Amino acid sequence: SPWSIARPLVMFILTPLAIGMLLRSRKASAELRPILLKVGSMSALVLLALLVALYFHDLVGVLGSGAIAACAIFIVGLYTAGYLLGGSRVQIKGVLGLGTAARNVGAALVPATQSFSDPKVMIMLVAWTIVMLVVLVPVSGWLRKKALRSTIGQ
């Protein structure tokens, strides 16, 4: 049913978002922000590591299937579309490219686990996440260096 999919999304995405919006209006949010950013980043890394460990043999099996190449081509295509449609300012174009290419895997995990019993769905989400990181982390580093060079040059 739709509610069986929506309930975990509300609980794990909308509720923390609402709490964060409430805290943002309070003075304590400035003090909590660095801590919560670290907790969130570490939680995401732990989740990814656990999923890779759980599906390791299946992920190795994906290597020759063309799925990794399809993910990479799709991610590069999404980045390119976001970049090209991002307006005239180079900094904005890069951010829109990254935002377009970086899919919310956390939000995809909920319906994937609730609606599909085939483990290939989860394996593809984990593979997608790894490819997305491998492609977009270097791109974001390159964009940062480019922005710093343009700031220093001004």
Side-chain angles (χ1 to χ4, degrees):
S1 79
W3 180 242
S4 67
I5 294 172
R7 184 179 46 230
L9 288 172
V10 167
M11 191 167 82
F12 293 117
I13 295 175
L14 292 181
T15 302
L17 181 63
I19 292 169
M21 290 172 69
L22 286 172
L23 286 176
R24 187 177 182 137
S25 65
R26 307 278 188 258
K27 192 174 186 177
S29 67
E31 296 167 7
L32 289 174
R33 183 184 167 127
I35 297 166
L36 294 177
L37 282 172
K38 287 179 184 174
V39 168
S41 296
M42 289 305 297
S43 298
L45 288 173
V46 167
L47 176 63
L48 180 61
L50 290 172
L51 289 171
V52 168
L54 181 64
Y55 294 107
F56 182 76
H57 294 292
D58 297 312
L59 286 168
V60 171
V62 169
L63 290 177
S65 69
I68 302 295
C71 286
I73 290 167
F74 191 58
I75 291 166
V76 169
L78 287 171
Y79 177 84
T80 303
Y83 188 89
L84 292 176
L85 297 172
S88 61
R89 292 182 48 206
V90 175
Q91 294 87 350
I92 301 298
K93 291 168 87 71
V95 170
L96 286 175
L98 288 172
T100 304
R103 306 290 78 216
N104 190 341
V105 178
L109 287 173
V110 175
T113 57
Q114 299 289 320
S115 302
F116 300 100
S117 59
D118 188 355
K120 291 178 183 174
V121 173
M122 188 62 73
I123 293 162
M124 200 58 217
L125 278 173
V126 175
W128 172 272
T129 304
I130 293 167
V131 173
M132 186 174 61
L133 290 171
V134 166
V135 171
L136 295 181
V137 168
V139 170
S140 67
W142 174 75
L143 288 170
R144 182 167 189 228
K145 287 179 186 175
K146 187 175 174 182
L148 287 173
R149 279 193 300 256
S150 69
T151 303
I152 293 169
Q154 290 181 1

